[in-house]
Amino acid sequence: MPRPRHALAEADEQDAFKKKLRPLLQAVATAFPDAQVELWATDEHRIGLKPLLRRVWAPIGQRPVAAVLHRFAWRYLVGFVHPASGRTFFHLATTVSIPVFEVELAAFARQVGAGPTKQIVLVLDRAGWHTSVHLRVPDHVYLLFLPPYSPELQPAEHLWLLTNEALVNRHFATIEELEDAQFARCAALQ
């Protein structure tokens, strides 16, 4: 189910983004006639030791018991998705920054085989580490930025409900335990 439009979203900007997507892909295909052009999307999701709680079934008159200890240790799950096929790649990072994103972009470009015979158009939001002039983007990868306040246009947003399944209603004693559970879930999704 698509997300509702954000209250601060500009409908005109979102429509312009949708209209320029296909011509951009065609322009890349024209510039590289011997190459395959693929559209991918990426987003980050913060996960941590603060529990994700959802409703659960319980006998009538009894409240379900869940171990909850609010702690604030975080990891950032970066997901790359190919909407046409559903292929995904994940990276787990301890922080978000320009140098970390450069490493993630380079690893992604290697994983998908970006090169003279495969051009990648990557849709992403306007986070500061994505839009920096200091960001080194790998060759054959082209960044396409979403309009502000447009998570409903981001295909990678749909990954987080799937990745959270390993974390919901669970208590993790350490961040390493959480990482292990998240690694296993991401491997299953890949």
Side-chain angles (χ1 to χ4, degrees):
M1 184 169 162
R3 289 177 66 158
R5 180 174 279 162
H6 192 282
L8 298 177
E10 293 286 335
D12 295 341
E13 287 184 34
Q14 290 184 348
D15 291 340
F17 173 83
K18 292 176 194 175
K19 288 177 185 172
K20 76 178 180 182
L21 183 59
R22 189 175 306 271
L24 173 69
L25 293 172
Q26 290 171 345
V28 173
T30 302
F32 300 94
D34 298 329
Q36 176 185 4
V37 178
E38 289 187 357
L39 178 68
W40 285 77
T42 186
D43 197 22
E44 298 87 17
H45 179 57
R46 188 173 74 169
I47 56 175
L49 294 178
K50 184 175 179 183
L52 298 171
L53 300 176
R54 291 198 186 143
R55 292 178 184 229
V56 295
W57 289 96
I60 293 175
Q62 294 181 9
R63 297 189 71 149
V65 177
V68 175
L69 177 61
H70 288 282
R71 292 156 302 146
F72 299 94
W74 305 107
R75 293 296 181 261
Y76 294 86
L77 182 61
V78 180
F80 293 88
V81 64
H82 183 246
S85 68
R87 288 183 359 227
T88 56
F89 296 106
F90 294 100
H91 294 112
L92 194 59
T94 57
T95 187
V96 288
S97 66
I98 296 169
V100 170
F101 190 58
E102 285 177 353
V103 169
E104 290 165 348
L105 273 179
F108 164 72
R110 279 191 309 277
Q111 286 175 316
V112 298
T117 59
K118 186 185 273 187
Q119 307 295 316
I120 304 297
V121 176
L122 185 62
V123 175
L124 64 169
D125 59 25
R126 296 174 184 263
W129 55 92
H130 296 165
T131 59
S132 172
V133 296
H134 303 294
L135 179 67
R136 290 185 307 250
V137 179
D139 292 338
H140 313 291
V141 175
Y142 306 93
L143 303 183
L144 178 60
F145 296 104
L146 290 165
Y149 305 107
S150 300
E152 67 274 11
L153 298 179
Q154 173 57 279
E157 283 280 336
H158 299 281
L159 295 174
W160 311 139
L161 284 175
L162 300 171
T163 60
N164 282 350
E165 286 301 314
L167 310 178
V168 170
N169 294 337
R170 290 188 58 194
H171 170 77
F172 297 97
T174 65
I175 196 74
E176 289 78 19
E177 284 182 28
L178 177 130
E179 287 176 353
D180 292 342
Q182 191 67 81
F183 280 136
R185 180 66 178 162
C186 289
L189 290 172
Q190 279 184 292

